[in-house]
Structures are given as C-alpha cells and as structure tokens.
Amino acid sequence: MLPLYLLNSIKGEPIMVELKRGDTMNGVLTNCDSWMNITLKDVVVSDAHGENFYKVKDIYIKGIHIKYITMSNELIDKFREEQNREKEHYHHHLNNNYNNNNNGGFQRRGGGYR
Amino acid sequence: MSNTSEEDLYLQSYAFTTAAAIIGSVDRKVIVTLWDGRTLVGVLRTFDQFANLVIHDGVERIYLLDKKQYAESSKPQTYLIRGENVVMMGELDIDKEDEPLEGLERIEFKDAQKIWKSRCQEAIDKNTEESTIFHDNGIFGAACTLY
C-alpha cells in the first residue's frame, strides 16, 4: 500500500531509476530498504545527456540520490491482486485457526494420552 | 468499505500534516511537477508521509506554449517519485483536462524533448554567464528561474 511497500514487492523486476543528477539506470531490482537505498543487477547506466552507456553487473544506489523509479504498468495490478489474495488468505487462515483450536480441545478431552 | 477505513486510519495519524491532504486525491488523475521542471500526468495510487508518490499510467508531458505545441511520452508507466523532488501536485478534472490541449499541436515526444533540453541548457549557460558577472562585482548567491 505504501510506496516503499510496493518497492519491496517488485524485487526481481526490471526497473528504471533516474537520479537527481539526471543519470538513468535500467536494471533488475535485487534489494531495497526503508531509506530507498537499492541494489540493482545487470544494469545499463547512462548519463544525463544520454551519450554514454555503461553495462554494470551490480550497483548500489543510495536512496537520497533518487529522483524517481519507473516500472511496468502491469506490476501495480499484479501487486494489488497479491494483496487481495493475501487478505483473503489471512481471513481464511483466521477461520481455520478457530476450527483447529476447537478440534484440539476435543482431542485432549477424548484421549488420555497423546 | 475498506477505502473509508483506510482514509480514517490516515487522517487519525496525520491529522495536521500535508500528507493528510493528499489522501483526497488517491485513485484520481493528477498532474505532478518535478524539481527539474518535468510534468507528469497519471493516476495517484499511493503515497506516504514524505509525499513519495506512486503514479499509475503515468506519462511525461512537455508543454511548448510559445510554439503552441505539446508532447506526451508514448508508453504509460508506473512512477514511484521520491517526495523531495515534487514541486506541486494537483488533481485534474477529467471533464476539463483536455481543454488547454485543444489549442495546441501535438508533436513527437523525442522532438519536444530535444527542444526542451536545449532550452534548459540555454538557461544554464545564461545563468552561468550572469552569475560570473555578479560574482565579479561582489554579489553572490544570485538566483535564476527557468522561464
């Protein structure tokens, strides 16, 4: 739901990061933290003028230097679907727990030993 | 409704903050201006206390009003914008949002980008020139605007 939560959920997806300076980095998001520091892999870096391109295997970007991050439009839909599934799963899980506790009680009363 | 309870939750925590004002624009079309002068248009999906924004179906729009032209980037993307880079964000009235564009000619995004970049560079050069003159005359901290 929160922007950083979304960032966390798209690990493994290709994204484009633009820094405040104007440099752009296209790569796969491997990790991120609550300060928006991120690590990317298989990155193509280019400067603000778009003149030079560098291929870098791993890169660490400090969050404070980021202007924005761009990702595919479908990722949000995927993210929302997962959220809804998790919500349903959570409610289902709660109901199951309730039932299991009841059964557990029964078993204890029924037998003498385990 | 889950939407109302989310709002209430936000308003309880952020009653007197700017972030509380943003919640009214969620799931609506917004226009965002960034610090570097760019304009993004899209649907605001989520935000946080730093005003980091997630814009869905976002396109970058370049206005060249003196030439009566505008351009939009071709492929809509999802933007996660770091809050400190945002100058302003405003809700768009979807019934009226196309009105300003009617008098303008739509051109290729790449062409508009070139013109935009050259103007930025001109402004930077002019600023450097002016700053040098100011500095030579003992005036420091002169500012310049892009437009």
Side-chain angles (χ1 to χ4, degrees), chain A residues 1 87 91, chain B residues 1-9 23 27:
Chain A
M1 257 177 341
K87 265 196 210 159
H91 290 309
Chain B
M1 282 235 165
S2 68
N3 254 356
T4 327
S5 67
E6 268 177 50
E7 270 186 43
D8 290 343
L9 212 72
I23 186 128
D27 288 334

Side-chain angles (χ1 to χ4, degrees), chain A residues 20-68:
Chain A
K20 288 180 187 167
R21 287 196 318 200
D23 309 43
T24 54
M25 319 207 163
N26 276 280
V28 176
L29 180 69
T30 48
N31 224 330
C32 68
D33 65 14
S34 53
W35 294 283
M36 221 188 269
N37 300 328
I38 56 180
T39 53
L40 304 172
K41 71 172 181 192
D42 304 326
V43 197
V44 176
V45 183
S46 91
D47 64 357
H49 304 290
E51 278 162 17
N52 300 317
F53 289 84
Y54 303 92
K55 251 185 159 170
V56 179
K57 207 157 159 231
D58 293 287
I59 210 168
Y60 167 75
I61 306 172
K62 254 184 156 280
I64 198 163
H65 293 121
I66 296 176
K67 188 190 294 174
Y68 62 73

